[in-house]
């Protein structure tokens, strides 16, 4: 199968995940760029940020049109995580990569179990600014330390800590992802990384289309079902990352 076809298929899958679940960007894009398309790790992570930003903005607009974004909670959440993420990122450089991967897998598994066991939060109610700032700072520290997990950890935090309904948590997570990815991409602005745009652009095109399809799919599924699907996907990701670190 040609690299172009692989890029188109992988992009569609990433977009579908971001649109429907509000997660799955970097954690799916980076392995696809490295394993399927032969990108070097540095180019893959930078290319993934470009793809995730554009695709997440597309999905965010679709969710916003449906009124499924908690803007205040999302902005507080994202802003509170910037400094902790930078500090934790510097600390993580001293920790072996295998240990970091295992820690993320364990954390993702715990979040998945909580999502699978938790009842769907009721709609309504104003999100506490203090709780949003606290949860955002905690998530920023975790994601900065472990290097991945923006959406996959933001959605459980929004649902479990702030009691945001699952349908709104998906859209709000996209706002957090865009903010975090922009900061990360800005930090790489002066690095000499060359991207293969002949593969990035087709990947991005189908990702954008997939994001719209994902939003439409999420609108047809109940919040409880969506929450269980998210938990199952997160548990699968945790198992895969754990096995990869151990083997």
């Amino acid at each position: 199968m040609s690299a172009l076809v692989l890029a188109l298929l992988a992009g569609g899958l990433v977009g579908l995940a971001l649109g429907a679940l509000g997660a799955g960007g970097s954690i799916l894009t980076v392995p696809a760029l490295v394993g399927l398309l032969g990108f070097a790790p540095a180019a893959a992570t930078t290319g993934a940020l470009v793809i995730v930003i554009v695709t997440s903005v597309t999905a965010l607009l679709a969710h916003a049109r449906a009124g499924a974004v908690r803007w205040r909670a999302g902005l507080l959440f994202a802003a509170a995580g910037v400094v902790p993420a930078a500090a934790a990122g510097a600390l993580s450089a001293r920790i072996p990569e295998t240990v970091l991967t295992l820690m993320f897998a364990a954390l993702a598994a715990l979040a998945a179990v909580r999502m699978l066991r938790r009842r769907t939060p009721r709609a309504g109610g104003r999100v506490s600014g203090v709780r949003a700032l606290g949860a955002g700072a905690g998530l920023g520290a975790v994601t900065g330390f472990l290097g991945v997990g923006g959406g996959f950890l933001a959605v459980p935090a929004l649902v479990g800590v702030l009691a945001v309904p699952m349908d709104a948590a998906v859209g709000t997570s996209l706002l957090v992802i865009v903010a975090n990815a922009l900061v990360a991409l800005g930090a790489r602005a002066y690095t000499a990384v060359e991207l293969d745009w002949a593969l990035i652009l087709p990947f991005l095109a189908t990702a954008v289309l997939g994001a719209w399809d994902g939003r439409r799919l999420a609108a047809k599924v109940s919040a409880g079902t969506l929450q269980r699907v998210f938990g199952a996907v997160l548990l699968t990701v945790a198992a895969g990352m754990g096995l990869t670190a151990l083997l």
Side-chain angles (χ1 to χ4, degrees), residues 82-229:
V82 173
V83 174
L91 177 63
S92 69
R94 303 180 180 181
I95 308 297
E97 185 176 344
T98 299
V99 175
L100 292 176
T101 303
L102 287 173
M103 290 175 65
F104 175 79
L107 185 63
L110 177 61
V113 171
R114 286 176 61 86
M115 292 289 287
L116 290 169
R117 296 180 61 183
R118 181 177 293 275
R119 294 180 179 179
T120 304
R122 296 179 180 178
R126 185 177 179 84
V127 175
S128 165
V130 174
R131 293 187 70 184
L133 288 170
L139 179 69
V142 170
T143 56
F145 186 71
L146 300 179
V148 291
F152 272 119
L153 296 180
V155 173
L158 288 167
V159 173
V161 179
L162 302 181
V164 175
M166 183 63 192
D167 54 350
V170 169
T172 307
S173 168
L174 291 165
L175 178 60
V176 177
I177 290 171
V178 170
N180 289 342
L182 283 171
V183 172
L185 186 61
R188 295 167 179 262
Y190 299 102
T191 59
V193 175
E194 294 186 3
L195 300 179
D196 186 350
W197 291 104
L199 293 177
I200 291 287
L201 291 177
F203 194 116
L204 181 57
T206 53
V208 168
L209 294 175
W212 284 101
D213 290 336
R215 168 55 200 164
R216 286 194 289 267
L217 177 64
K220 297 178 181 179
V221 179
S222 69
T225 299
L226 192 62
Q227 185 170 320
R228 289 190 293 273
V229 169

Side-chain angles (χ1 to χ4, degrees), residues 61-75:
L61 292 175
H63 282 269
R65 288 179 60 184
V69 178
R70 298 289 180 88
W71 295 98
R72 177 174 176 270
L75 290 172

